[in-house]
Amino acid sequence: MATVKVGSNLSLQIGKDCHQHGVVTEEIDGLIKVYKDGHVERPQIVPCVTSALAPELGVTSWDIVVDKFTNIWARFYVPNKCHGKLPLLVYFHGGGFCVGSAAWSCYHDFLARLAAKASCIIMSVNYRLAPENPLPAAYDDGIKALMWLKQQALSVGADNRWTTQCNFSNMFLAGDSAGANIAFNIIARLDSFNAGQAAAAMKPLTLKGIILIQPFFGGETRTNSEKYLVQSPRSTLSLAASDTYWRLALPSGTNRDHPWCNPLAKGSVNLEDLMTFPIMVCISEMDILKNRNLEFVDSLGRADKRVEHFVHKGVGHGFQILSKSQLSQTRALEMMSQIKRFISGI
């Protein structure tokens, strides 16, 4: 099983010859700049770190290549002390499909602490980014990661020490922002089969639930929180940034009512036929996506889905990874406890 070292060589770099690329067609200040000739710059706004962790966390982490041809890799987190086999949480990072990495320091810290708190093994998937790889590339990578996991489960007892600690029949999909969108759309793809076919295709993996943290959805019609919620200048997601991410990520010629963006739009997935397992949705009170996320939860409820949601007061989009305020840290601990209860209660 191949491993991969992640460090400065995989960091998001600024091109030294950026002045040579001409007209900028899309830009989110400090995060991404796209030129007319197709060149893309991503400033290293968040440092990329290796898998090393402080010993006192009680978690071991390492990186593994999932698919060398598309450069998909994953970072694993395994608690050092465990009683019996542990649940498996497959996690997708956020970043509007266009930025972000499983090696970002903020995700490394958050997921290491979550693995320790929730007593679970976490596989953090590093998928391909738009606009170089527009959707559905990220969804394809998510499915490929699950198929890779299936092969690991079938080869338990070989040279994979972590697989002996993993309960592959107790698996959850999770993600924040665009990562939550990826988790949801992976389920939509799996459910395009009938339930029996999907379950058979996944064996011996058994999906028990899905955790969506501030899911990144959109739509042509603005919600009240998108129109009127006053954002801090330091907010991690503005309406303008959201629109830019969707223009870069969606297929050419589509708009924000595309089913991948708006699961409630006409022609999108039928929620009544989707997801027979429990769903957890985390919503931030100061997030422009608040109303859209609440509408999504209400629609799941009307479709008789087993859904529970939490509204984290006084914090905004991505607070659990990008804000160092005392309130954000308190809310992040609350979120981890809620995730732990969701995983252990199924």
Side-chain angles (χ1 to χ4, degrees):
M1 181 170 56
T3 59
V4 59
K5 292 183 178 180
V6 178
S8 59
N9 59 316
L10 288 183
S11 300
L12 305 179
Q13 300 292 324
I14 306 175
K16 294 180 180 179
D17 58 344
C18 59
H19 62 282
Q20 298 177 1
H21 294 284
V23 178
V24 175
T25 57
E26 297 282 4
E27 181 176 11
I28 301 174
D29 189 38
L31 286 169
I32 188 169
K33 185 180 291 186
V34 182
Y35 290 86
K36 188 175 182 179
D37 67 357
H39 178 74
V40 179
E41 295 173 6
R42 295 180 178 89
Q44 193 179 343
I45 192 169
V46 178
C48 287
V49 296
T50 68
S51 59
L53 288 169
E56 57 267 26
L57 280 173
V59 174
T60 299
S61 176
W62 67 91
D63 300 321
I64 294 177
V65 173
V66 172
D67 186 277
K68 65 181 180 181
F69 299 106
T70 52
N71 199 30
I72 306 168
W73 57 273
R75 180 162 293 181
F76 276 79
Y77 301 86
V78 180
N80 295 336
K81 295 180 180 179
C82 62
H83 304 283
K85 293 194 173 185
L86 300 177
L88 172 62
L89 185 69
V90 181
Y91 196 93
F92 300 93
H93 67 77
F97 305 103
C98 299
V99 299
S101 170
W104 269 13
S105 59
C106 54
Y107 280 109
H108 189 53
D109 175 67
F110 174 70
L111 294 178
R113 291 187 295 126
L114 179 60
K117 176 76 173 179
S119 297
C120 65
I121 293 173
I122 298 178
M123 176 189 186
S124 177
V125 180
N126 200 74
Y127 53 88
R128 290 172 294 169
L129 299 177
E132 301 95 323
N133 302 283
L135 295 175
Y139 307 149
D140 294 339
D141 294 351
I143 294 289
K144 188 166 290 185
L146 294 184
M147 293 302 101
W148 179 88
L149 270 175
K150 174 180 176 176
Q151 292 305 312
Q152 305 309 302
L154 290 170
S155 61
V156 168
D159 61 343
N160 306 334
R161 58 186 173 83
W162 67 274
T163 61
T164 61
Q165 300 172 264
C166 182
N167 185 353
F168 290 100
S169 63
N170 193 16
M171 185 179 75
F172 297 80
L173 293 191
D176 67 285
S177 194
N181 178 295
I182 292 169
F184 173 80
N185 277 289
I186 287 174
I187 298 304
R189 283 194 168 197
L190 292 175
D191 281 4
S192 65
F193 302 102
N194 64 48
Q197 288 176 319
M202 294 288 288
K203 282 185 177 181
L205 305 179
T206 303
L207 190 58
K208 289 297 184 70
I210 183 169
I211 301 165
L212 307 179
I213 301 172
Q214 305 137 14
F216 185 48
F217 295 132
E220 287 297 298
T221 302
R222 304 295 195 191
T223 65
N224 283 340
S225 59
E226 288 171 338
K227 289 189 291 186
Y228 304 121
L229 189 63
V230 177
Q231 292 290 287
S232 162
R234 300 180 64 185
S235 173
T236 61
L237 184 68
S238 67
L239 191 58
S242 174
D243 288 349
T244 301
Y245 283 137
W246 284 119
R247 285 194 300 272
L248 293 174
L250 286 171
S252 177
T254 61
N255 63 23
R256 293 188 308 272
D257 280 334
H258 189 286
W260 294 338
C261 176
N262 187 355
L264 305 185
K266 184 177 180 181
S268 295
V269 294
N270 186 345
L271 294 180
E272 292 182 358
D273 297 334
L274 193 66
M275 292 184 287
T276 58
F277 43 77
I279 308 150
M280 173 181 173
V281 183
C282 295
I283 300 168
S284 293
E285 183 183 38
M286 306 307 294
D287 186 357
I288 61 168
L289 299 179
K290 178 183 70 174
N291 287 153
R292 196 170 293 282
N293 289 172
L294 288 170
E295 290 173 5
F296 175 69
V297 168
D298 288 343
S299 296
L300 289 171
R302 289 194 300 271
D304 293 324
K305 299 301 160 183
R306 290 178 288 169
V307 58
E308 59 178 312
H309 76 281
F310 302 91
V311 177
H312 297 109
K313 302 291 186 180
V315 288
H317 193 84
F319 74 89
Q320 72 283 357
I321 57 163
L322 293 173
S323 176
K324 299 297 183 182
S325 74
Q326 185 59 53
L327 177 60
S328 292
Q329 292 181 39
T330 299
R331 294 288 182 262
L333 288 173
E334 290 174 1
M335 178 187 288
M336 290 182 193
S337 296
Q338 291 156 355
I339 292 172
K340 178 181 180 178
R341 287 196 297 270
F342 182 76
I343 291 174
S344 61
I346 294 175

